[in-house]
Amino acid sequence: QLDDFHLHAITREAVVGWYLQDEPGTLRYYDLQSGEECNPKTLSLQVEHLAENNAVQFPLHYTEESGYFDTYKRYLRHSIQTEPKGAIDYLQLPRAVIMSGYFTVAQKLENFLLMLSTEGETLLYDTLGQELSGLAADTFLVCQQTLIYVKNRNELIGYAIPQ
């Protein structure tokens, strides 16, 4: 068991993720067979090639305390004219960027999902939930070039990511 561990990807060889106390962007690798932490250089599949090899990928989760949060907050304020609150989930893919975050509507949280091409074109914008009482992590995942998320707690959606 790995306490406070957030999953980023699962490959044929390893589980990739990070601990809450780690510096933002620090990924750790655990061998699927032994469960021991391993050196990523010994793996045949590097993180940069996860999408090409059909690995399951999870977003990085940034809270307001993270230095990265402000960067994504400014970007979202500019691109979708909203002010994210609390946390942002972020996943960079070879041809797209996916972000999920929260903003306040009538003192309640709303969770949004945004997918942009690497050129900045909006490919998808969806509302995942409304009138929420708190934040969640891992609001989406990507598997076999498909964005997978739950909308309104009762609708599972798969969206093909353009290649």
Side-chain angles (χ1 to χ4, degrees):
Q1 179 177 348
L2 301 172
D3 293 328
D4 295 324
F5 185 77
H6 284 268
L7 193 58
H8 177 64
I10 301 171
T11 72
R12 290 184 298 276
E13 299 171 293
V15 172
V16 183
W18 77 97
Y19 290 98
L20 290 176
Q21 69 270 16
D22 287 343
E23 286 292 316
T26 302
L27 294 176
R28 297 185 184 235
Y29 301 75
Y30 289 90
D31 184 274
L32 279 179
Q33 298 300 315
S34 69
E36 299 294 318
E37 190 166 2
C38 61
N39 183 336
K41 291 181 174 42
T42 64
L43 301 174
S44 64
L45 178 62
Q46 298 301 310
V47 171
E48 299 82 44
H49 304 289
L50 290 173
E52 299 159 16
N53 289 282
N54 295 326
V56 177
Q57 295 178 269
F58 296 87
L60 296 171
H61 183 74
Y62 298 111
T63 62
E64 287 184 329
E65 293 78 34
S66 165
Y68 291 100
F69 182 86
D70 285 336
T71 301
Y72 298 128
K73 178 179 172 178
R74 282 191 303 274
Y75 180 79
L76 289 167
R77 187 182 316 132
H78 172 74
S79 63
I80 60 173
Q81 289 74 46
T82 193
E83 181 93 11
K85 308 261 190 251
I88 294 172
D89 286 349
Y90 174 88
L91 182 61
Q92 172 79 49
L93 300 170
R95 293 181 184 85
V97 172
I98 306 169
M99 288 185 263
S100 171
Y102 297 85
F103 55 88
T104 306
V105 176
Q107 274 107 25
K108 290 286 190 173
L109 290 173
E110 222 171 83
N111 185 204
F112 68 87
L113 179 73
L114 174 67
M115 181 168 39
L116 302 167
S117 71
T118 51
E119 292 81 30
E121 175 190 358
T122 299
L123 302 173
L124 174 70
Y125 181 90
D126 203 353
T127 301
L128 303 184
Q130 298 173 311
E131 298 184 16
L132 304 171
S133 58
L135 305 174
D138 300 328
T139 53
F140 64 89
L141 63 92
V142 172
C143 182
Q144 297 185 357
Q145 292 298 313
T146 303
L147 169 62
I148 299 170
Y149 60 97
V150 175
K151 182 174 180 168
N152 298 322
R153 298 183 184 148
N154 63 5
E155 187 178 352
L156 183 64
I157 296 177
Y159 183 88
I161 298 171
Q163 298 200 25

